[in-house]
Amino acid sequence: MTCRLPSRFAPIALAAAAVSLSAVGTAHAQSADVLLDCSACHDSTASTPARPSVPGPFPDLSGQPARYIAHQLEAYRKGLRQHRQMEKTATALGEGGAAAMARLYADAPQPDLRPPAREEADTTGWSLVVNGAWERGVPPCASCHGVSADDTGRLAPILIGRDPAYLAHELRAYADSDRRSDTMGRMRAFAAQLTPSEIDAVADYYGAWRSQEDEP
Ligand code: HEC
Ligand code: HEC
């Protein structure tokens, strides 16, 4: 999870600063600078977040579909996702700033990730991803969560290679209906059908995808 391309985050920090100047009034500019410094928290190359007072885990946004990112920022604005600081960030960005950041992160290059070898993959997690659990109404995760960002109009995010702690945290939030950004309520329904150990297993499976650079 640690070895990614650090250089791609510099333009994102700069663009966030530009968004803060254009989208936010000067009266709020100072606090907005902190809220809008996306890479302080969304830099997957950092082993510890730059803002330890903010509760994580911190998701990596690069290469996510633009429509998904914009939809999440709207969900924070509307209180469908709860995170005090991200609610403020999304409100400060507004609709225009959110669209700009969504395009920027969607265009950030994604590392070329490989699945874990079958013998190393968590079999419970792997099975949920490719087979689902139809008897409980859960389709295969892979039927919606693709592995590349070429379809930027998609609403389902990319899960491969992402921090398992973050993925498990979000699945628990759906299961408890704390996160209600899924417009049809489907992720809430699926997550509520998973046991706590299945949630950890599927998050670990996705987290085990590795870029070639990380391979020994
Ligand atoms: C101080 C830390 C911090 C800053 C600064 C920050 N974020 Fe976040 N962001 C988080 C955390 C933590 C989460 C996960 C919150 C949760 O669990 O819902 C998050 C979640 C998100 C998500 C949802 C990700 C997903 O996969 O669903 C998006 C999109 C996002 N942030 C965009 C931004 C953008 C754009 C900026 C800059 C304009 C920004 N954030 C600034 C901490 C931060
Ligand atoms: C019918 C399509 C569909 C299926 C099947 C599906 N998902 Fe999702 N998933 C989505 C959509 C759409 C979203 C975005 C919802 C939102 O805006 O909150 C999502 C969001 C998520 C998120 C939040 C990621 C983030 O960046 O915050 C996780 C984690 C997740 N799904 C895991 C799973 C797992 C694990 C499975 C299989 C057990 C699964 N999904 C099956 C469509 C699907």
Side-chain angles (χ1 to χ4, degrees):
M1 289 304 299
T2 49
C3 186
R4 299 246 170 127
L5 306 169
S7 55
R8 73 185 182 211
F9 290 99
I12 289 173
L14 290 177
V19 168
S20 87
L21 292 179
S22 59
V24 186
T26 42
H28 302 293
Q30 198 182 1
S31 58
D33 281 349
V34 175
L35 292 173
L36 296 175
D37 182 8
C38 319
S39 50
C41 299
H42 293 293
D43 180 351
S44 63
T45 59
S47 52
T48 50
R51 309 214 178 275
S53 57
V54 174
F58 300 89
D60 185 4
L61 305 176
S62 37
Q64 291 297 340
R67 188 164 167 231
Y68 172 76
I69 296 177
H71 178 66
Q72 298 315 306
L73 290 167
E74 186 186 4
Y76 287 118
R77 282 203 306 275
K78 292 186 170 168
L80 298 172
R81 275 187 84 165
Q82 270 95 43
H83 187 276
R84 276 189 61 192
Q85 178 271 315
M86 271 312 301
E87 287 164 36
K88 288 186 197 157
T89 291
T91 305
L93 274 178
E95 208 172 319
M101 291 314 299
R103 276 195 305 276
L104 206 69
Y105 271 110
D107 287 346
Q110 247 198 321
D112 184 17
L113 295 174
R114 299 282 164 88
R118 274 298 292 279
E119 58 276 18
E120 288 166 18
D122 183 296
T123 41
T124 305
W126 176 83
S127 178
L128 281 167
V129 170
V130 299
N131 303 320
W134 286 108
E135 69 289 358
R136 285 177 273 160
V138 182
C141 320
S143 59
C144 299
H145 292 283
V147 295
S148 89
D150 44 13
D151 180 5
T152 58
R154 212 173 57 198
L155 268 179
I158 290 165
L159 305 178
I160 57 169
R162 300 189 61 201
D163 179 0
Y166 171 73
L167 297 180
H169 181 264
E170 296 310 303
L171 286 167
R172 287 192 292 270
Y174 284 124
D176 296 342
S177 285
D178 287 341
R179 176 171 173 178
R180 301 184 310 281
S181 48
D182 54 333
T183 39
M184 313 277 284
R186 280 189 290 203
M187 274 314 304
R188 274 172 281 177
F190 303 153
Q193 288 299 321
L194 302 179
T195 65
S197 61
E198 284 175 329
I199 285 182
D200 289 338
V202 78
D204 286 347
Y205 170 79
Y206 275 122
W209 283 60
R210 287 276 172 275
S211 77
Q212 277 174 291
E213 299 158 37
D214 291 345
E215 279 165 15

